[in-house]
Each structure stands twice: as C-alpha cells, then as structure tokens.
Amino acid sequence: MKVKFCCCAVSSLLLGDNNFMSGSEIVPFIYDYAHAFSVGLALVRQNGWWGYVDKTGKEVIPCIYNPAWSFTKTGLAAVCMEGKCGFIDQTGKEVIP
C-alpha cells in the first residue's frame, strides 16, 4: 500500500492559520510526497515526477521534472528534465538552461 502525503498542516502553519487542525485540505491527497512551502510554492511528487502547487492547492507547474528542488528566496528552483538540468522561475519559465 502506497501512503499519500499532504502538506495541509504544514502549509496552514506557514500561513499563520491558528486553526490548522480544522481538517481543511490545502493540497489534495493525490501526491506521493509534498515538501513545505517556499516562496509561495510547495514541491510535490506524483508518480515519480515533480512539480509545484500554490497555497490554494492548484498545480501551477506540472509534475514533469525528475528530480526537482524547492524554490529558493531568489524565486528560482533547480530542475532536471530528459537528463538536462537548469533553473525555472515561479511561473515554470526556464530562466537558466
């Protein structure tokens, strides 16, 4: 049995929500793994591929990378695709090939 992770409690804490135990779901339970939010986006893994969701749970950058890392304070994240690595911005645009 594969366990699904959700970062709803983590995201609520980072948002300053004092009612994080309310059971409200921020990120749907469709991801294999989820990291904490960094500069407004959380790194998530689905079926072995990585992408990013915002604090509403919307997938803003699709799970097409393998591997990928969380966004830094500069607003960039390191990602790899088809054996090539570079950096993307928070919209998913390649900024450093």
Side-chain angles (χ1 to χ4, degrees):
M1 178 175 142
K2 186 184 272 189
V3 177
K4 300 290 183 181
F5 291 89
C6 176
C7 54
C8 52
V10 172
S11 64
S12 295
L13 286 172
L14 293 175
L15 288 169
D17 183 358
N18 292 328
N19 194 22
F20 71 92
M21 296 300 286
S22 68
S24 60
E25 182 180 271
I26 304 292
V27 177
F29 287 95
I30 61 171
Y31 300 102
D32 304 321
Y33 190 82
H35 283 265
F37 284 92
S38 174
V39 293
L41 297 176
L43 177 63
V44 293
R45 183 180 69 204
Q46 185 176 42
N47 300 321
W49 297 93
W50 295 89
Y52 301 86
V53 296
D54 66 14
K55 290 183 179 181
T56 69
K58 178 183 173 193
E59 191 173 277
V60 294
I61 300 173
C63 295
I64 58 173
Y65 301 104
N66 191 15
W69 291 266
S70 294
F71 278 89
T72 65
K73 292 178 183 179
T74 64
L76 299 178
V79 295
C80 296
M81 177 190 281
E82 299 176 3
K84 297 181 180 179
C85 297
F87 290 86
I88 58 171
D89 67 14
Q90 293 170 293
T91 67
K93 179 182 174 188
E94 184 181 285
V95 292
I96 303 173

